[in-house]
Amino acid sequence: MGNIYTLSGTPGNFDPQDADTADSLAVRLLRLDLSLPLNNPRKLAAARANVARNHRLFGELFGSHALQGPGAQMIEAYRTFLEESRREAAGGNGTPGDDARTGLQPAPDEGFPAGFAVPQDVRSVHHPVKSAVFLLDYERLEDARRTPPDSAGDPGAAVLRGYLEDGQIPCFILEALAGQPPDTVDDLYRVALSRPGFFWERDGKSLLRRYKPAPIHHEDRRSSRWSRCPSPRPTETSPEVPHPVPGPGLSLGIPACRRSPPAGWPRR
């Protein structure tokens, strides 16, 4: 059977009164390796199809697979996305006023890190295989990519180190950043990591495997044009509010979306 089929099949052998025991078993197995469910071919095929559908719908909604703006606006867009996902899964029969079908229930305020709605520089990216991720301070990291800092203490260098050390930020984010012009990625890593001989083409893969060893970061990656999509900005902006922690990420699976953008988002 293998470990994953234990998770898929064994709970069905428990009596109803033993449901808590079965649930506890599943949770303990998942904590060992979050990629375990994908070792089941049927679940893997369903997950891939769902993420591919979500990726298409994300692009249809926002006109891009990368959005950037205030955290509060990212949260509202995410909730709209969840709401439309449920409505589409129900074949369009969902009731708009039904709390069970709104994005607020699966994504309540307490489900986000404290203060997540405050920063003005939050990026939401959807990948065709890896699903979605929220990023803080990504614009600062892009600035450091365009103009490498002079010292490891530079805020942009600190954000890069934070992204490397944050287990919730997937590899594809740093790979996409490395592929953008100008060709200064080597300089950024040399300064941020104090490694004067660093070359991304030679050392990048081993660096990512060192900092992000979980198989889910590296398996089933697919190259595409998603990383080149423009990043729509909100039509209304607020004064800058600095976030005290550089580079934290919040990885969230985002299903489905609406056919017309929510208020405040341009569509391209």
Side-chain angles (χ1 to χ4, degrees):
M1 286 174 56
N3 55 0
I4 183 55
Y5 293 99
T6 296
L7 208 166
S8 299
T10 298
N13 296 323
F14 284 85
D15 292 328
Q17 62 267 28
D18 297 322
D20 289 344
T21 302
D23 290 345
S24 176
L25 169 65
V27 170
R28 294 206 318 268
L29 285 172
L30 278 172
R31 284 174 175 169
L32 294 175
D33 184 350
L34 295 177
S35 68
L36 285 179
L38 302 185
N39 292 334
N40 180 311
R42 181 174 58 84
K43 285 184 170 60
L44 175 59
R48 283 173 169 164
N50 189 50
V51 172
R53 177 181 64 91
N54 294 343
H55 187 70
R56 172 182 58 81
L57 293 174
F58 191 101
E60 289 177 358
L61 172 60
F62 297 111
S64 172
H65 293 108
L67 310 176
Q68 195 155 322
Q73 195 164 20
M74 294 293 98
I75 291 174
E76 289 307 310
Y78 177 65
R79 286 171 175 165
T80 298
F81 204 29
L82 291 175
E83 181 179 346
E84 294 305 318
S85 170
R86 289 167 176 258
R87 192 168 291 142
E88 179 169 296
N93 297 321
T95 303
D98 184 358
D99 288 342
R101 295 187 178 277
T102 66
L104 184 61
Q105 186 189 42
D109 290 341
E110 57 269 23
F112 295 88
F116 185 78
V118 175
Q120 299 301 297
D121 178 16
V122 176
R123 188 175 179 90
S124 175
V125 179
H126 200 286
H127 186 273
V129 174
K130 297 299 186 182
S131 192
V133 62
F134 284 136
L135 305 166
L136 300 183
D137 294 325
Y138 188 83
E139 188 171 1
R140 181 172 289 177
L141 182 59
E142 282 188 318
D143 290 342
R145 172 67 170 83
R146 288 188 291 266
T147 306
D150 296 325
S151 71
D154 182 90
V159 172
L160 176 61
R161 291 193 299 274
Y163 273 41
L164 278 171
E165 295 166 0
D166 190 332
Q168 291 186 305
I169 296 183
C171 285
F172 75 80
I173 295 296
L174 293 171
E175 290 172 324
L177 182 78
Q180 296 174 8
D183 188 17
T184 54
V185 63
D186 293 339
D187 294 334
L188 171 58
Y189 276 87
R190 288 168 185 169
V191 173
L193 303 181
S194 300
R195 291 178 56 176
F198 182 91
F199 288 94
W200 175 263
E201 288 295 328
R202 182 191 67 196
D203 307 318
K205 184 178 294 186
S206 61
L207 181 75
L208 292 179
R209 288 195 176 276
R210 172 191 169 191
Y211 280 96
K212 302 184 184 295
I216 197 169
H217 286 303
H218 304 278
E219 293 175 354
D220 300 317
R221 287 180 294 183
R222 181 184 304 159
S223 60
S224 70
R225 294 185 176 182
W226 69 270
S227 61
R228 302 186 185 95
C229 291
S231 302
R233 300 280 180 155
T235 55
E236 297 180 1
T237 58
S238 304
E240 284 293 325
V241 179
H243 195 276
V245 182
L250 175 63
S251 182
L252 295 170
I254 299 182
C257 64
R258 178 153 47 191
R259 301 294 174 158
S260 57
W265 285 106
R267 181 170 181 170
R268 299 182 182 181

